[in-house]
Amino acid sequence: MLLDVDIEWLFYMEDLMTYKEIFTFQNLYLAHKKARKSKRHKKDVILFEIDLSNNLYELYKQLNGYTYQISGYHKFLIFEPKEREIQALEYKDRVVQHCLCDNYLMPLLERRLIFDNGACRRGKGTDFSRNRIKGFLRDYFKHHGHTGYYLKCDIKKYFNSISHVYLKNILDKEISDRKIKDLLFCIIDSYEYTPGHGIPMGNQTSQCFALLYLDRIDRIIKEKFRIKYYSRYMDDLILINSSKEYLIEIQNQLSNYLKEYLELEFNEKTKIGQIKKGITYLGGRFFITNTRKVIMIIDKEKISNFKIKINRINTDLNSINSYLGYLKKFNEYKMVKKLLNYKKDINARY
């Protein structure tokens, strides 16, 4: 049986910027300052800054004269946390996206998204979502002990599967400014993985679109199924409940809803497990002890690669400090000790 829900999408729009207010020269300059962060050594950033005023003014004229067109994408591979193809825009287009997202899309989304949608939002992120899972487990244990289950959901090829038609329908309902909608639709149509589907992983707007695309799923889980312990990080979902049967029912109904209304499906990582055996989420595995202490270790799927990386470290203190900072978030005493010994050896040499 499919979900029979008609969820109201409530926004208070009166103080959101108009198209003209978003793309002022001042806002474009501030967007440039954000876009260049940690990239000032890049060739395209240097070339843009050589004639900064004229480049910004030309962008301002194009946007306000409604002649702006996206330049296109170049592609490259990344290998962490897994191999992925990234589609990146030219620098001037990244400035436009910063301006649009910072001044309009994120303020719009903050009114809509549930509290525990943790990705790509100011004041949130992986640490926030991990800490929420820890808090959920402590609170759950207080009422139910170790007896209980979790449903872990993962969307198959999420960014590549997002429907342009459905995404446009969502935005059409939420945005009244025609010029903003036209620009967003132009961005959506600038890329497709398969005909009518897919958003580029390198776009800042794609992060916003991906946050919003599953918002109805968030609302169904919280408002229809009344799941108290729920967290979403982009396309990773965790639900905790005392009833395995209830989680099976939720999984089946969500799967049907995703296929029929969002043209998505769960992948093979979607499963129901016992809380006492640990919950895998955001690179960690969470266990609750009898004293209500939550232990978070690195997920076993990532541990082998992580050990290889540590063994490859030579004298790069920045890399050591980076790994050390990451490991201190987990209960990984032996790995932290190993890195500290590396650091001591290097400091002794110099």
Side-chain angles (χ1 to χ4, degrees), residues 152-178:
K152 176 180 172 61
C153 301
D154 201 332
I155 307 295
K156 183 177 181 180
K157 296 182 179 179
Y158 182 44
F159 277 68
N160 290 336
S161 301
I162 287 176
S163 163
H164 289 190
V165 170
Y166 186 80
L167 179 56
K168 288 178 181 178
N169 286 341
I170 295 174
L171 295 170
D172 192 48
K173 292 176 182 177
E174 303 313 319
I175 299 171
S176 58
D177 190 311
R178 184 72 251 172

PDB file of all heavy atoms in Angstrom, residues 152-178:
ATOM      1  N   LYS A 152      18.859   1.116   8.085  1.00  0.00           N
ATOM      2  CA  LYS A 152      19.826   1.945   7.377  1.00  0.00           C
ATOM      3  C   LYS A 152      19.443   1.943   5.900  1.00  0.00           C
ATOM      4  O   LYS A 152      19.360   0.882   5.282  1.00  0.00           O
ATOM      5  CB  LYS A 152      21.243   1.407   7.546  1.00  0.00           C
ATOM      6  CG  LYS A 152      22.303   2.158   6.751  1.00  0.00           C
ATOM      7  CD  LYS A 152      23.685   1.572   6.974  1.00  0.00           C
ATOM      8  CE  LYS A 152      24.716   2.183   6.032  1.00  0.00           C
ATOM      9  NZ  LYS A 152      24.876   3.621   6.214  1.00  0.00           N
ATOM     10  N   CYS A 153      19.195   3.129   5.352  1.00  0.00           N
ATOM     11  CA  CYS A 153      18.809   3.259   3.947  1.00  0.00           C
ATOM     12  C   CYS A 153      19.858   4.046   3.186  1.00  0.00           C
ATOM     13  O   CYS A 153      20.392   5.042   3.695  1.00  0.00           O
ATOM     14  CB  CYS A 153      17.460   3.981   3.816  1.00  0.00           C
ATOM     15  SG  CYS A 153      16.096   3.180   4.664  1.00  0.00           S
ATOM     16  N   ASP A 154      20.122   3.611   1.985  1.00  0.00           N
ATOM     17  CA  ASP A 154      21.072   4.284   1.108  1.00  0.00           C
ATOM     18  C   ASP A 154      20.477   4.285  -0.294  1.00  0.00           C
ATOM     19  O   ASP A 154      19.974   3.269  -0.756  1.00  0.00           O
ATOM     20  CB  ASP A 154      22.416   3.543   1.127  1.00  0.00           C
ATOM     21  CG  ASP A 154      23.570   4.423   0.679  1.00  0.00           C
ATOM     22  OD1 ASP A 154      23.324   5.353  -0.105  1.00  0.00           O
ATOM     23  OD2 ASP A 154      24.711   4.171   1.093  1.00  0.00           O
ATOM     24  N   ILE A 155      20.532   5.443  -0.970  1.00  0.00           N
ATOM     25  CA  ILE A 155      19.925   5.573  -2.294  1.00  0.00           C
ATOM     26  C   ILE A 155      20.924   5.164  -3.370  1.00  0.00           C
ATOM     27  O   ILE A 155      22.084   5.551  -3.339  1.00  0.00           O
ATOM     28  CB  ILE A 155      19.461   7.019  -2.555  1.00  0.00           C
ATOM     29  CG1 ILE A 155      18.554   7.501  -1.421  1.00  0.00           C
ATOM     30  CG2 ILE A 155      18.750   7.109  -3.902  1.00  0.00           C
ATOM     31  CD1 ILE A 155      17.262   6.777  -1.287  1.00  0.00           C
ATOM     32  N   LYS A 156      20.460   4.404  -4.334  1.00  0.00           N
ATOM     33  CA  LYS A 156      21.312   3.949  -5.435  1.00  0.00           C
ATOM     34  C   LYS A 156      21.604   5.113  -6.390  1.00  0.00           C
ATOM     35  O   LYS A 156      20.689   5.731  -6.932  1.00  0.00           O
ATOM     36  CB  LYS A 156      20.601   2.817  -6.185  1.00  0.00           C
ATOM     37  CG  LYS A 156      21.416   2.202  -7.310  1.00  0.00           C
ATOM     38  CD  LYS A 156      20.654   1.053  -7.949  1.00  0.00           C
ATOM     39  CE  LYS A 156      21.446   0.401  -9.066  1.00  0.00           C
ATOM     40  NZ  LYS A 156      20.693  -0.723  -9.680  1.00  0.00           N
ATOM     41  N   LYS A 157      22.895   5.419  -6.556  1.00  0.00           N
ATOM     42  CA  LYS A 157      23.348   6.469  -7.483  1.00  0.00           C
ATOM     43  C   LYS A 157      22.496   7.730  -7.345  1.00  0.00           C
ATOM     44  O   LYS A 157      21.897   8.199  -8.313  1.00  0.00           O
ATOM     45  CB  LYS A 157      23.316   5.952  -8.925  1.00  0.00           C
ATOM     46  CG  LYS A 157      24.282   4.810  -9.184  1.00  0.00           C
ATOM     47  CD  LYS A 157      24.249   4.368 -10.637  1.00  0.00           C
ATOM     48  CE  LYS A 157      25.249   3.240 -10.893  1.00  0.00           C
ATOM     49  NZ  LYS A 157      25.210   2.773 -12.300  1.00  0.00           N
ATOM     50  N   TYR A 158      22.502   8.287  -6.150  1.00  0.00           N
ATOM     51  CA  TYR A 158      21.555   9.355  -5.820  1.00  0.00           C
ATOM     52  C   TYR A 158      21.644  10.551  -6.759  1.00  0.00           C
ATOM     53  O   TYR A 158      20.658  10.913  -7.431  1.00  0.00           O
ATOM     54  CB  TYR A 158      21.777   9.794  -4.367  1.00  0.00           C
ATOM     55  CG  TYR A 158      20.828  10.873  -3.898  1.00  0.00           C
ATOM     56  CD1 TYR A 158      19.472  10.803  -4.197  1.00  0.00           C
ATOM     57  CD2 TYR A 158      21.286  11.951  -3.159  1.00  0.00           C
ATOM     58  CE1 TYR A 158      18.591  11.783  -3.758  1.00  0.00           C
ATOM     59  CE2 TYR A 158      20.416  12.931  -2.719  1.00  0.00           C
ATOM     60  CZ  TYR A 158      19.072  12.844  -3.010  1.00  0.00           C
ATOM     61  OH  TYR A 158      18.207  13.818  -2.589  1.00  0.00           O
ATOM     62  N   PHE A 159      22.806  11.181  -6.857  1.00  0.00           N
ATOM     63  CA  PHE A 159      22.942  12.388  -7.672  1.00  0.00           C
ATOM     64  C   PHE A 159      22.630  12.096  -9.140  1.00  0.00           C
ATOM     65  O   PHE A 159      22.016  12.908  -9.832  1.00  0.00           O
ATOM     66  CB  PHE A 159      24.343  12.975  -7.543  1.00  0.00           C
ATOM     67  CG  PHE A 159      24.518  13.852  -6.332  1.00  0.00           C
ATOM     68  CD1 PHE A 159      24.485  13.326  -5.049  1.00  0.00           C
ATOM     69  CD2 PHE A 159      24.717  15.218  -6.467  1.00  0.00           C
ATOM     70  CE1 PHE A 159      24.644  14.127  -3.932  1.00  0.00           C
ATOM     71  CE2 PHE A 159      24.874  16.034  -5.366  1.00  0.00           C
ATOM     72  CZ  PHE A 159      24.832  15.487  -4.091  1.00  0.00           C
ATOM     73  N   ASN A 160      23.063  10.937  -9.612  1.00  0.00           N
ATOM     74  CA  ASN A 160      22.852  10.593 -11.015  1.00  0.00           C
ATOM     75  C   ASN A 160      21.406  10.223 -11.339  1.00  0.00           C
ATOM     76  O   ASN A 160      21.025  10.161 -12.511  1.00  0.00           O
ATOM     77  CB  ASN A 160      23.757   9.425 -11.419  1.00  0.00           C
ATOM     78  CG  ASN A 160      25.216   9.820 -11.485  1.00  0.00           C
ATOM     79  OD1 ASN A 160      25.541  10.982 -11.669  1.00  0.00           O
ATOM     80  ND2 ASN A 160      26.094   8.853 -11.314  1.00  0.00           N
ATOM     81  N   SER A 161      20.595   9.953 -10.315  1.00  0.00           N
ATOM     82  CA  SER A 161      19.232   9.463 -10.538  1.00  0.00           C
ATOM     83  C   SER A 161      18.156  10.522 -10.312  1.00  0.00           C
ATOM     84  O   SER A 161      16.979  10.249 -10.568  1.00  0.00           O
ATOM     85  CB  SER A 161      18.956   8.270  -9.612  1.00  0.00           C
ATOM     86  OG  SER A 161      19.876   7.223  -9.859  1.00  0.00           O
ATOM     87  N   ILE A 162      18.523  11.684  -9.829  1.00  0.00           N
ATOM     88  CA  ILE A 162      17.523  12.711  -9.536  1.00  0.00           C
ATOM     89  C   ILE A 162      16.826  13.146 -10.819  1.00  0.00           C
ATOM     90  O   ILE A 162      17.474  13.493 -11.810  1.00  0.00           O
ATOM     91  CB  ILE A 162      18.169  13.908  -8.828  1.00  0.00           C
ATOM     92  CG1 ILE A 162      18.518  13.520  -7.382  1.00  0.00           C
ATOM     93  CG2 ILE A 162      17.278  15.143  -8.844  1.00  0.00           C
ATOM     94  CD1 ILE A 162      19.246  14.587  -6.589  1.00  0.00           C
ATOM     95  N   SER A 163      15.508  13.125 -10.791  1.00  0.00           N
ATOM     96  CA  SER A 163      14.695  13.461 -11.961  1.00  0.00           C
ATOM     97  C   SER A 163      14.607  14.973 -12.142  1.00  0.00           C
ATOM     98  O   SER A 163      14.249  15.705 -11.215  1.00  0.00           O
ATOM     99  CB  SER A 163      13.284  12.888 -11.789  1.00  0.00           C
ATOM    100  OG  SER A 163      12.367  13.499 -12.674  1.00  0.00           O
ATOM    101  N   HIS A 164      14.927  15.467 -13.336  1.00  0.00           N
ATOM    102  CA  HIS A 164      14.813  16.891 -13.619  1.00  0.00           C
ATOM    103  C   HIS A 164      13.367  17.363 -13.507  1.00  0.00           C
ATOM    104  O   HIS A 164      13.099  18.446 -12.975  1.00  0.00           O
ATOM    105  CB  HIS A 164      15.340  17.184 -15.026  1.00  0.00           C
ATOM    106  CG  HIS A 164      16.821  17.060 -15.152  1.00  0.00           C
ATOM    107  ND1 HIS A 164      17.514  17.481 -16.272  1.00  0.00           N
ATOM    108  CD2 HIS A 164      17.764  16.567 -14.308  1.00  0.00           C
ATOM    109  CE1 HIS A 164      18.799  17.250 -16.111  1.00  0.00           C
ATOM    110  NE2 HIS A 164      18.973  16.683 -14.937  1.00  0.00           N
ATOM    111  N   VAL A 165      12.441  16.551 -13.979  1.00  0.00           N
ATOM    112  CA  VAL A 165      11.025  16.950 -13.948  1.00  0.00           C
ATOM    113  C   VAL A 165      10.538  17.096 -12.513  1.00  0.00           C
ATOM    114  O   VAL A 165       9.920  18.106 -12.148  1.00  0.00           O
ATOM    115  CB  VAL A 165      10.155  15.917 -14.700  1.00  0.00           C
ATOM    116  CG1 VAL A 165       8.668  16.182 -14.473  1.00  0.00           C
ATOM    117  CG2 VAL A 165      10.462  15.956 -16.195  1.00  0.00           C
ATOM    118  N   TYR A 166      10.842  16.096 -11.679  1.00  0.00           N
ATOM    119  CA  TYR A 166      10.370  16.152 -10.294  1.00  0.00           C
ATOM    120  C   TYR A 166      11.045  17.295  -9.534  1.00  0.00           C
ATOM    121  O   TYR A 166      10.399  18.013  -8.766  1.00  0.00           O
ATOM    122  CB  TYR A 166      10.617  14.818  -9.592  1.00  0.00           C
ATOM    123  CG  TYR A 166      10.005  14.788  -8.213  1.00  0.00           C
ATOM    124  CD1 TYR A 166       8.644  14.543  -8.041  1.00  0.00           C
ATOM    125  CD2 TYR A 166      10.777  15.044  -7.087  1.00  0.00           C
ATOM    126  CE1 TYR A 166       8.079  14.545  -6.782  1.00  0.00           C
ATOM    127  CE2 TYR A 166      10.216  15.051  -5.823  1.00  0.00           C
ATOM    128  CZ  TYR A 166       8.866  14.799  -5.678  1.00  0.00           C
ATOM    129  OH  TYR A 166       8.307  14.816  -4.427  1.00  0.00           O
ATOM    130  N   LEU A 167      12.348  17.467  -9.760  1.00  0.00           N
ATOM    131  CA  LEU A 167      13.072  18.541  -9.083  1.00  0.00           C
ATOM    132  C   LEU A 167      12.497  19.904  -9.470  1.00  0.00           C
ATOM    133  O   LEU A 167      12.297  20.784  -8.615  1.00  0.00           O
ATOM    134  CB  LEU A 167      14.557  18.462  -9.443  1.00  0.00           C
ATOM    135  CG  LEU A 167      15.484  19.523  -8.848  1.00  0.00           C
ATOM    136  CD1 LEU A 167      15.391  19.547  -7.324  1.00  0.00           C
ATOM    137  CD2 LEU A 167      16.923  19.289  -9.287  1.00  0.00           C
ATOM    138  N   LYS A 168      12.217  20.092 -10.733  1.00  0.00           N
ATOM    139  CA  LYS A 168      11.621  21.359 -11.180  1.00  0.00           C
ATOM    140  C   LYS A 168      10.238  21.566 -10.572  1.00  0.00           C
ATOM    141  O   LYS A 168       9.865  22.696 -10.209  1.00  0.00           O
ATOM    142  CB  LYS A 168      11.527  21.393 -12.705  1.00  0.00           C
ATOM    143  CG  LYS A 168      12.871  21.557 -13.405  1.00  0.00           C
ATOM    144  CD  LYS A 168      12.679  21.531 -14.916  1.00  0.00           C
ATOM    145  CE  LYS A 168      13.988  21.657 -15.654  1.00  0.00           C
ATOM    146  NZ  LYS A 168      13.816  21.596 -17.120  1.00  0.00           N
ATOM    147  N   ASN A 169       9.468  20.488 -10.439  1.00  0.00           N
ATOM    148  CA  ASN A 169       8.144  20.608  -9.823  1.00  0.00           C
ATOM    149  C   ASN A 169       8.237  21.068  -8.372  1.00  0.00           C
ATOM    150  O   ASN A 169       7.434  21.891  -7.913  1.00  0.00           O
ATOM    151  CB  ASN A 169       7.406  19.259  -9.890  1.00  0.00           C
ATOM    152  CG  ASN A 169       6.908  18.938 -11.277  1.00  0.00           C
ATOM    153  OD1 ASN A 169       6.775  19.822 -12.126  1.00  0.00           O
ATOM    154  ND2 ASN A 169       6.643  17.662 -11.532  1.00  0.00           N
ATOM    155  N   ILE A 170       9.234  20.542  -7.654  1.00  0.00           N
ATOM    156  CA  ILE A 170       9.448  20.960  -6.263  1.00  0.00           C
ATOM    157  C   ILE A 170       9.761  22.455  -6.214  1.00  0.00           C
ATOM    158  O   ILE A 170       9.154  23.215  -5.454  1.00  0.00           O
ATOM    159  CB  ILE A 170      10.602  20.168  -5.614  1.00  0.00           C
ATOM    160  CG1 ILE A 170      10.255  18.692  -5.495  1.00  0.00           C
ATOM    161  CG2 ILE A 170      10.933  20.734  -4.238  1.00  0.00           C
ATOM    162  CD1 ILE A 170      11.392  17.832  -4.993  1.00  0.00           C
ATOM    163  N   LEU A 171      10.729  22.866  -7.022  1.00  0.00           N
ATOM    164  CA  LEU A 171      11.150  24.265  -7.011  1.00  0.00           C
ATOM    165  C   LEU A 171      10.034  25.192  -7.491  1.00  0.00           C
ATOM    166  O   LEU A 171       9.884  26.310  -6.979  1.00  0.00           O
ATOM    167  CB  LEU A 171      12.396  24.433  -7.881  1.00  0.00           C
ATOM    168  CG  LEU A 171      13.644  23.705  -7.393  1.00  0.00           C
ATOM    169  CD1 LEU A 171      14.732  23.745  -8.460  1.00  0.00           C
ATOM    170  CD2 LEU A 171      14.158  24.302  -6.095  1.00  0.00           C
ATOM    171  N   ASP A 172       9.253  24.729  -8.441  1.00  0.00           N
ATOM    172  CA  ASP A 172       8.157  25.543  -8.970  1.00  0.00           C
ATOM    173  C   ASP A 172       7.133  25.863  -7.884  1.00  0.00           C
ATOM    174  O   ASP A 172       6.559  26.961  -7.858  1.00  0.00           O
ATOM    175  CB  ASP A 172       7.489  24.811 -10.129  1.00  0.00           C
ATOM    176  CG  ASP A 172       6.540  25.699 -10.905  1.00  0.00           C
ATOM    177  OD1 ASP A 172       6.938  26.826 -11.259  1.00  0.00           O
ATOM    178  OD2 ASP A 172       5.393  25.288 -11.144  1.00  0.00           O
ATOM    179  N   LYS A 173       6.899  24.920  -6.967  1.00  0.00           N
ATOM    180  CA  LYS A 173       5.949  25.137  -5.878  1.00  0.00           C
ATOM    181  C   LYS A 173       6.489  26.109  -4.828  1.00  0.00           C
ATOM    182  O   LYS A 173       5.727  26.820  -4.183  1.00  0.00           O
ATOM    183  CB  LYS A 173       5.621  23.806  -5.195  1.00  0.00           C
ATOM    184  CG  LYS A 173       4.834  22.848  -6.054  1.00  0.00           C
ATOM    185  CD  LYS A 173       4.646  21.529  -5.313  1.00  0.00           C
ATOM    186  CE  LYS A 173       3.907  20.518  -6.178  1.00  0.00           C
ATOM    187  NZ  LYS A 173       3.774  19.200  -5.504  1.00  0.00           N
ATOM    188  N   GLU A 174       7.791  26.132  -4.678  1.00  0.00           N
ATOM    189  CA  GLU A 174       8.383  26.877  -3.570  1.00  0.00           C
ATOM    190  C   GLU A 174       8.864  28.272  -3.927  1.00  0.00           C
ATOM    191  O   GLU A 174       9.092  29.089  -3.045  1.00  0.00           O
ATOM    192  CB  GLU A 174       9.568  26.080  -2.994  1.00  0.00           C
ATOM    193  CG  GLU A 174       9.220  24.686  -2.536  1.00  0.00           C
ATOM    194  CD  GLU A 174       7.980  24.652  -1.694  1.00  0.00           C
ATOM    195  OE1 GLU A 174       7.798  25.541  -0.836  1.00  0.00           O
ATOM    196  OE2 GLU A 174       7.145  23.758  -1.906  1.00  0.00           O
ATOM    197  N   ILE A 175       9.074  28.532  -5.207  1.00  0.00           N
ATOM    198  CA  ILE A 175       9.680  29.801  -5.618  1.00  0.00           C
ATOM    199  C   ILE A 175       8.701  30.570  -6.497  1.00  0.00           C
ATOM    200  O   ILE A 175       8.222  30.050  -7.507  1.00  0.00           O
ATOM    201  CB  ILE A 175      11.004  29.543  -6.375  1.00  0.00           C
ATOM    202  CG1 ILE A 175      11.990  28.812  -5.467  1.00  0.00           C
ATOM    203  CG2 ILE A 175      11.606  30.859  -6.864  1.00  0.00           C
ATOM    204  CD1 ILE A 175      13.238  28.328  -6.171  1.00  0.00           C
ATOM    205  N   SER A 176       8.443  31.811  -6.099  1.00  0.00           N
ATOM    206  CA  SER A 176       7.497  32.628  -6.863  1.00  0.00           C
ATOM    207  C   SER A 176       8.193  33.528  -7.881  1.00  0.00           C
ATOM    208  O   SER A 176       7.592  33.906  -8.885  1.00  0.00           O
ATOM    209  CB  SER A 176       6.655  33.485  -5.914  1.00  0.00           C
ATOM    210  OG  SER A 176       7.486  34.316  -5.123  1.00  0.00           O
ATOM    211  N   ASP A 177       9.467  33.856  -7.641  1.00  0.00           N
ATOM    212  CA  ASP A 177      10.201  34.748  -8.534  1.00  0.00           C
ATOM    213  C   ASP A 177      10.543  34.004  -9.830  1.00  0.00           C
ATOM    214  O   ASP A 177      11.343  33.067  -9.844  1.00  0.00           O
ATOM    215  CB  ASP A 177      11.474  35.241  -7.835  1.00  0.00           C
ATOM    216  CG  ASP A 177      12.173  36.368  -8.587  1.00  0.00           C
ATOM    217  OD1 ASP A 177      12.384  36.227  -9.804  1.00  0.00           O
ATOM    218  OD2 ASP A 177      12.519  37.379  -7.943  1.00  0.00           O
ATOM    219  N   ARG A 178       9.961  34.417 -10.931  1.00  0.00           N
ATOM    220  CA  ARG A 178      10.123  33.733 -12.212  1.00  0.00           C
ATOM    221  C   ARG A 178      11.571  33.719 -12.677  1.00  0.00           C
ATOM    222  O   ARG A 178      12.054  32.713 -13.229  1.00  0.00           O
ATOM    223  CB  ARG A 178       9.254  34.440 -13.270  1.00  0.00           C
ATOM    224  CG  ARG A 178       9.235  33.801 -14.637  1.00  0.00           C
ATOM    225  CD  ARG A 178       8.451  32.522 -14.622  1.00  0.00           C
ATOM    226  NE  ARG A 178       9.319  31.337 -14.748  1.00  0.00           N
ATOM    227  CZ  ARG A 178       8.892  30.104 -14.619  1.00  0.00           C
ATOM    228  NH1 ARG A 178       7.627  29.857 -14.340  1.00  0.00           N
ATOM    229  NH2 ARG A 178       9.716  29.084 -14.762  1.00  0.00           N
TER     230      ARG A 178
END
